Amino acid sequence: MARNLFGGTASDVAEDIDGARVPGAVGTVWDGPSEEATQIVDLTDADGVPIIQLVADERGFVPSFYGPADDTERLWVDFGVGKIALVSVTVGDRLKVHMQAADPHQDRAYTDERLSNYVPRSGASIDVGKGSTWTGFTVADLEGSNGDTGGYVFKLETTGKTPAGYQEFTRLKNNGTLMLDSNGSHVPLLIGQYETVGADGSALAVSRGRAGTDPVVFRVRSDGRVEAAGDISASNIGNARIYSGPSAPASPQAGDVWVKYG
């Protein structure tokens, strides 16, 4: 580890018991202020030459020196009148370098590593372990027939030529309704009851316009009814028209199917 620089300032002086400077005084360096402290002899002068004690200059100042090679920040020096603490004179410079470093504590790297498993950056992938859930959402209380249809768990939107300045498309509402609207030419699909009216809500609806809006060209009601705006065709019925109800079709044609009920 690096050695820290001590001494060499106007406040670093060797003094006698009366506070007078003592030129040429010889002092020792310790690792603490108590009587049980250990003397430190792993020192060098400003040029890197090893020394085992300090010698004040002709004015009584303690010259610059480097502490032990363990990155020590505080030492105690004794010129015969007791141990006095010295703090490294480069602590401010090192703090500035530390604060300007990109990731001095490696907390950003740690956070990136953790978040990459939860909120990936662009182009990243998420590894979801067996039996685990990647993420979850807690929505408002869903009491009532309609639940919370005002908010979204997930919503895609893009800028567009609308009064609001944006265009919503695929959305997952707080009540579980999924609206699939591709941006551009599309056939919107709604899954789940957007608005519930008794048993008439849409379990699934395909619209000409946006998902959840009229005109709906195909609908499966929550009570099981299937509705289509146009003719129904299949390989086993050809061009047959299918009717149901208590009365026969007003203008029957060959191939019509009428299921009477009521």
Side-chain angles (χ1 to χ4, degrees), residues 11-165:
S11 60
D12 300 322
V13 295
E15 298 177 336
D16 61 17
I17 192 66
D18 297 319
R21 295 181 187 175
V22 183
V26 176
T28 52
V29 181
W30 303 81
D31 65 358
S34 68
E35 293 183 358
E36 291 76 23
T38 300
Q39 183 178 352
I40 296 176
V41 294
D42 179 22
L43 307 169
T44 75
D45 64 15
D47 296 322
V49 178
I51 58 176
I52 61 173
Q53 59 189 11
L54 303 179
V55 179
D57 65 14
E58 67 278 5
R59 300 167 298 172
F61 286 102
V62 178
S64 297
F65 70 96
Y66 286 101
D70 61 359
D71 208 21
T72 298
E73 295 287 354
R74 189 186 302 270
L75 297 173
W76 281 260
V77 298
D78 188 352
F79 283 95
V81 293
K83 299 180 179 69
I84 302 297
L86 287 184
V87 177
S88 172
V89 297
T90 55
V91 62
D93 296 332
R94 286 181 281 112
L95 177 59
K96 182 178 180 179
V97 172
H98 176 82
M99 294 176 64
Q100 293 176 342
D103 192 11
H105 300 288
Q106 298 301 303
D107 54 331
R108 296 181 185 177
Y110 175 84
T111 302
D112 286 346
E113 179 185 356
R114 292 290 179 237
L115 288 182
S116 65
N117 293 322
Y118 300 97
V119 183
R121 291 165 291 185
S122 178
S125 60
I126 300 173
D127 182 12
V128 181
K130 182 179 180 180
S132 64
T133 300
W134 171 60
T135 188
F137 299 93
T138 300
V139 299
D141 190 349
L142 299 182
E143 290 184 0
S145 60
N146 294 333
D148 178 11
T149 62
Y152 297 95
V153 170
F154 177 82
K155 179 173 69 172
L156 295 179
E157 62 184 32
T158 184
T159 56
K161 297 179 180 180
T162 65

